[in-house]
Amino acid sequence: MITPYRRLAALALLAALPAAAQTYNGPESVEAHPRLKRLLVSNTGGGNVLARAEDGTLSVFTSDPSSPYGIELLAGTLFVLDSGRVKGYDIDSAAPVMNLPLTGAAFLNGITSNGLDTLYVSDFNGRRIYQVGVADLGAPTQVELTSTGTATPNGVVYDRDGNRLLIATWGSNAKVLSLDLGTPGATPQTLIQTTLGNIDGIVLDCRGTLFVAAWSGCGTAGGCLRRFDPPFAIDSPAVVVANGLANPADIDYDMRTAEITVPESGGARVSLHPSSCGRSLFIDDFER
């Protein structure tokens, strides 16, 4: 005879199995969600977005995207770049709330926001930056903001203090570009000339310190995480944060833990590294 207690225990075990069985498969982009003390990770090879709990266990946030790349959390919505579209999912229920095909897009890769009502998206193959208005999720808007010329854009981050975008570029001797958002028709300018190769992720921490994730040119085998301290100059030195990373992709700064979170797309893992900040005593609830 199966007692009610044993039946409940068996059901609890079965319910836990799917979450425990989740694994990384080409983790591409990570976004901190301080309120629930978790990280959201676009699992490109798995065709889903995973949620990583504080203890490292994984569960599925949504399996709706077919090939998710950059992700960005803004005002209660997780925005996901998926095969030429910008999709939005409610941060609590994961219900789809937006699905915008970007006209003319080739390969959407990096995404950031102004923290209010606007997304900025990089088109890797098209060498363009798009601006997407999301004040009304039912009627989002699209503008081709600028071309990056001969530079191939990857990760992007919004610099609030400078009202500008900082853009990571692909290729050898990769650059960090700066795009002035306060000047209509502005074109990206070189902010930092590096000796790194294939910069994928880029983020600012609470002090305005810049971190980049590069696949090569690190002076050692594998990829790396490097830091640039403000004020920035064309020849700002790169400070070593971590080496031996496996294809580090689209990184994020977790204000709660003061860590730089790095999805290693070639290593099927997410690694955590110190920033220049301290842990936050108060969790910003901006996303809801």
Side-chain angles (χ1 to χ4, degrees):
M1 177 179 177
I2 300 177
T3 66
Y5 173 80
R6 287 183 177 177
R7 179 174 290 130
L8 288 173
L11 290 173
L13 177 61
L14 288 173
L17 286 177
Q22 299 306 318
T23 58
Y24 294 121
N25 184 352
E28 172 63 25
S29 181
V30 62
E31 184 77 357
H33 184 200
R35 176 164 56 87
L36 295 186
K37 300 180 182 180
R38 63 181 179 175
L39 300 176
L40 287 308
V41 184
S42 63
N43 203 34
T44 301
N48 53 27
V49 177
L50 299 178
R52 179 189 186 276
E54 198 168 21
D55 64 2
T57 56
L58 299 174
S59 59
V60 174
F61 173 75
T62 178
S63 294
D64 180 69
S66 59
S67 182
Y69 271 78
I71 59 177
E72 173 75 4
L73 178 57
L74 173 64
T77 301
L78 184 72
F79 293 96
V80 179
L81 303 182
D82 183 25
S83 303
R85 294 173 176 267
V86 184
K87 296 181 177 180
Y89 302 90
D90 181 89
I91 192 58
D92 290 314
S93 68
V97 293
M98 194 185 91
N99 189 344
L100 173 68
L102 281 192
T103 304
F107 171 38
L108 303 180
N109 197 337
I111 182 172
T112 188
S113 76
N114 67 355
L116 297 171
D117 55 8
T118 305
L119 305 173
Y120 301 98
V121 177
S122 69
D123 184 343
F124 185 91
N125 289 346
R127 295 180 176 174
R128 292 178 291 242
I129 303 295
Y130 289 95
Q131 177 178 295
V132 179
V134 292
D136 181 355
L137 295 178
T141 60
Q142 168 194 339
V143 174
E144 183 179 321
L145 193 59
T146 189
S147 166
T148 56
T150 60
T152 301
N154 202 319
V156 290
V157 64
Y158 175 70
D159 177 9
R160 184 184 304 278
D161 290 341
N163 191 28
R164 61 183 177 177
L165 290 183
L166 303 184
I167 305 165
T169 65
W170 199 249
S172 59
N173 296 313
K175 301 174 182 179
V176 174
L177 304 178
S178 173
L179 177 64
D180 180 6
L181 295 174
T183 303
T187 57
Q189 304 297 314
T190 300
L191 180 67
I192 304 173
Q193 174 66 67
T194 83
T195 57
L196 300 169
N198 296 337
I199 299 179
D200 194 325
I202 183 169
V203 75
L204 294 163
D205 72 7
C206 73
R207 300 182 188 276
T209 302
L210 183 68
F211 292 80
V212 301
W215 284 33
S216 60
C218 303
T220 185
C224 61
L225 185 65
R226 294 290 185 264
R227 187 187 87 218
F228 295 92
D229 297 323
F232 308 122
I234 193 77
D235 57 352
S236 288
V239 179
V240 175
V241 179
N243 288 319
L245 305 181
N247 307 129
D250 189 15
I251 62 181
D252 193 29
Y253 165 64
D254 187 341
M255 72 181 96
R256 186 181 64 85
T257 64
E259 292 171 318
I260 306 299
T261 57
V262 182
E264 297 185 49
S265 59
R269 60 179 176 262
V270 171
S271 56
L272 310 176
H273 307 272
S275 69
S276 68
C277 304
R279 292 174 63 97
S280 176
L281 297 177
F282 304 97
I283 298 175
D284 189 345
D285 196 27
F286 74 92
E287 83 283 353
R288 180 59 70 197

